Amino acid sequence: MKKVPILILVLLVIGGLYWFFNSNGKSNPNELTLYGNIEIRQVDLSFQSGGQIAQLLKEEGDSIKAGELLAVIDAKDYEANLTKANADIEVAIAKLQDANDKYGRNAPLGVDDTVSKQDVESLYNNKNVANAEYNAAVANRDYIQNQLDYTKLYAPDDGIIMIRVQEPGATVSKGQTIYTVAKTRPLWVRAYVNEPDLGNIKYGQKVRVYTDSVNPKTDKKREYEGQIGFISSVAEFTPKTVQSTDTRPLLVYRIHVYINDVDEYIKQGMPVTINVDLGGDDSSKKEQEIK
């Protein structure tokens, strides 16, 4: 009967040693390991003028460069409006020239009342009206030119076509989505830090980011360089007002880790592991020197 308590005691000692060496013994106090997911900014691209789509030049999955032409709307009506607007300017120029000439000839005659002052004032007002009509015609021409330019859709930044919403022949209105694009930069990881570790990280701190995918060339997990670019000041999942000594360790704070060497193997939503080297922090070194 005495052997049973001794056996239990031996098992407890073995279990305690196993827990110590596997949990505390292997942990690195100078390294913080976090887990997160890749976040990519998305943007819905649309025309700034409506019409029938004439061309869609990109498919889903295609890479695009900033300033690259993506789609075109049938521009015949806009081109016709521009032709008319240019003609209206020519008419306005002719009227303005005629008004200026009449005023120039008759204004001196008003000095000796050869031409009445009322007629001179009318000619002066007509000149101003013609000048205003000319300015309005130019503004209208510029507006129509902009509308014609808007019939072409260009990439605002480098990215990848995620969704092709429309097809050629479809009639779309201003602001209606044509493509959904994922921007390749900036690219960050959304992760969370426990409250006790919050004081060990800082803005601009260098980190290493690892994906679960193994690079067949190196037979190692793909590795990227990054830095901490955002640290939330608001705790999540636990109300900020509840900060007793028991609940503070349960608070988590959202951070963004920006990846510098982005490549085509990083995809939206991909889970990654983040290693933060705390030993390289100047504050950690000072604390060790003080101790």
Side-chain angles (χ1 to χ4, degrees), residues 212-230:
D212 294 338
S213 304
V214 176
N215 188 340
K217 295 182 179 179
T218 62
D219 201 29
K220 296 180 180 179
K221 291 184 176 181
R222 297 189 182 275
E223 180 180 347
Y224 303 88
E225 296 181 354
Q227 63 182 23
I228 298 175
F230 168 79

Side-chain angles (χ1 to χ4, degrees), residues 109-120:
L109 300 178
V111 177
D112 57 1
D113 292 332
T114 302
V115 176
S116 66
K117 293 183 179 180
Q118 182 176 357
D119 290 340
V120 173

Side-chain angles (χ1 to χ4, degrees), residues 180-192:
T180 297
V181 173
K183 299 177 64 176
T184 54
R185 286 179 176 79
L187 183 146
W188 68 75
V189 179
R190 172 175 45 84
Y192 293 90

